[in-house]
Amino acid sequence: MVDRLVNSEANARRIAMVENCFGSSGQPLAVSGRVLVGEGVLTKMCRKKPKARQFFLFNDILVYGNIVINKKKYNKQHIIPLEQVKLESLADDGQYRNGWLIKTVTKSFAVYAATATEKQEWMAHITKCIEDLLRKSGKKAVEVHAAVWVPDNEATICMHCNKTQFTVLNRRHHCRQCGAVVCGPCSNKKMVLPGQGNGKAVRVCLQCYDAASKVKSTTRPLTDDNKDQRNSADSSGGDSSGDDDDTANKEENHDEPKFYSSLVR
């Protein structure tokens, strides 16, 4: 049970080790009442290709980062409040098996475990932590989540016009509303989306823009993006910063995940 680990020396030691592995590049993780529930390596589907990432499940947040030296050094720390998280299991009929979606307000992505058992363990522990957090804190689960971006290598031409072929000059862009890979002309509009862009309008495809235009907006007005179509900014995707870093992560074999709390009450 998570409760027995609160304020325990073992839990404090584990959290301190995680903080030490991220070093000065990471945020402090030691908070009163916070428990490290489990940790392990998962394969995260990034824009360009799948990559191993170190994940840490706490009773109130999910943390992950790039592996520089396994069990010793991580960087590019990402922290996700669990009340924002929604899980969706993926069918094992594609190129990757034992996967599920982690959907949040600002960013949604797919992760894959090494085995079906590991997938079940991760999903069960995350789900239990979310349920306990919402029950104890009185917080409400977030209902609106960001779209899962289609990986770059799954689209050689624009997914909307089906004409523009992507090259060095014709860069890929992702619609922040539906996650499709589209060309510049098919994504030259912007609109405000909950949880994205820090309140500023973000790039969307013409189909999503037109659909939103039919509904009277109660937020900031939709805006054209004709004045600024600098490909380097939007094609990189602000929320995915650091996830395409190839500076490390050369080890393919990783230990099984460790969970420090039993799901049995």
Side-chain angles (χ1 to χ4, degrees):
M1 294 175 61
V2 171
D3 291 344
R4 68 178 175 81
L5 294 175
V6 176
N7 300 323
S8 69
E9 292 185 7
N11 178 62
R13 185 172 61 251
R14 293 177 188 128
I15 294 178
M17 290 179 64
V18 176
E19 288 183 333
N20 185 60
C21 287
F22 278 106
S24 60
S25 66
Q27 297 183 33
L29 299 172
V31 175
S32 178
R34 178 169 289 168
V35 173
L36 178 58
V37 178
E39 59 182 282
V41 176
L42 294 170
T43 299
K44 179 178 180 296
M45 180 58 74
C46 300
R47 282 193 57 201
K48 296 181 180 179
K49 62 181 180 180
K51 295 169 185 173
R53 295 288 181 256
Q54 181 72 29
F55 279 76
F56 299 94
L57 173 63
F58 295 83
N59 59 338
D60 62 335
I61 58 175
L62 183 65
V63 178
Y64 70 92
N66 294 6
I67 303 171
V68 180
I69 303 176
N70 194 27
K71 298 183 179 180
K72 293 184 179 180
K73 185 177 181 181
Y74 312 117
N75 64 10
K76 304 294 183 181
Q77 184 190 74
H78 296 259
I79 299 178
I80 305 173
L82 285 184
E83 65 268 20
Q84 295 185 8
V85 173
K86 178 182 178 182
L87 302 185
E88 241 177 71
S89 182
L90 294 174
D92 290 338
D93 56 358
Q95 182 179 0
Y96 303 100
R97 302 178 65 84
N98 307 319
W100 67 97
L101 297 178
I102 297 178
K103 306 183 78 173
T104 77
V105 177
T106 59
K107 181 181 183 181
S108 300
F109 52 87
V111 292
Y112 300 88
T115 66
T117 299
E118 289 185 14
K119 173 185 175 179
Q120 294 172 359
E121 288 181 335
W122 272 106
M123 292 193 69
H125 279 85
I126 295 174
T127 299
K128 183 65 165 58
C129 286
I130 294 173
E131 292 174 349
D132 288 348
L133 175 65
L134 296 178
R135 176 174 53 82
K136 294 178 180 180
S137 67
K139 295 179 180 180
K140 295 183 178 180
V142 174
E143 297 181 355
V144 179
H145 299 88
V148 179
W149 285 13
V150 175
D152 287 358
N153 59 9
E154 292 188 13
T156 57
I157 62 173
C158 175
M159 297 177 67
H160 283 344
C161 68
N162 294 318
K163 296 178 181 178
T164 302
Q165 187 169 4
F166 297 122
T167 64
V168 176
L169 297 178
N170 291 326
R171 299 283 299 278
R172 292 173 173 83
H173 300 277
H174 280 85
C175 172
R176 272 55 171 179
Q177 175 76 1
C178 68
V181 182
V182 289
C183 63
C186 285
S187 60
N188 63 356
K189 301 287 186 179
K190 285 186 176 182
M191 65 183 187
V192 176
L193 295 178
Q196 300 191 53
N198 295 321
K200 296 181 180 180
V202 294
R203 180 185 291 266
V204 294
C205 66
L206 296 181
Q207 290 184 12
C208 289
Y209 182 88
D210 291 341
S213 297
K214 296 178 181 179
V215 180
K216 186 175 181 179
S217 177
T218 58
T219 60
R220 293 171 57 183
L222 308 178
T223 61
D224 290 346
D225 188 29
N226 296 327
K227 295 182 180 180
D228 185 5
Q229 292 187 32
R230 290 173 292 181
N231 293 327
S232 59
D234 279 312
S235 63
S236 63
D239 289 337
S240 61
S241 177
D243 285 345
D244 291 321
D245 189 354
D246 284 319
T247 57
N249 200 19
K250 296 180 180 179
E251 298 182 35
E252 295 296 331
N253 297 320
H254 301 280
D255 295 335
E256 294 182 357
K258 295 181 181 179
F259 294 99
Y260 307 110
S261 173
S262 172
L263 293 176
V264 181
R265 290 186 176 274

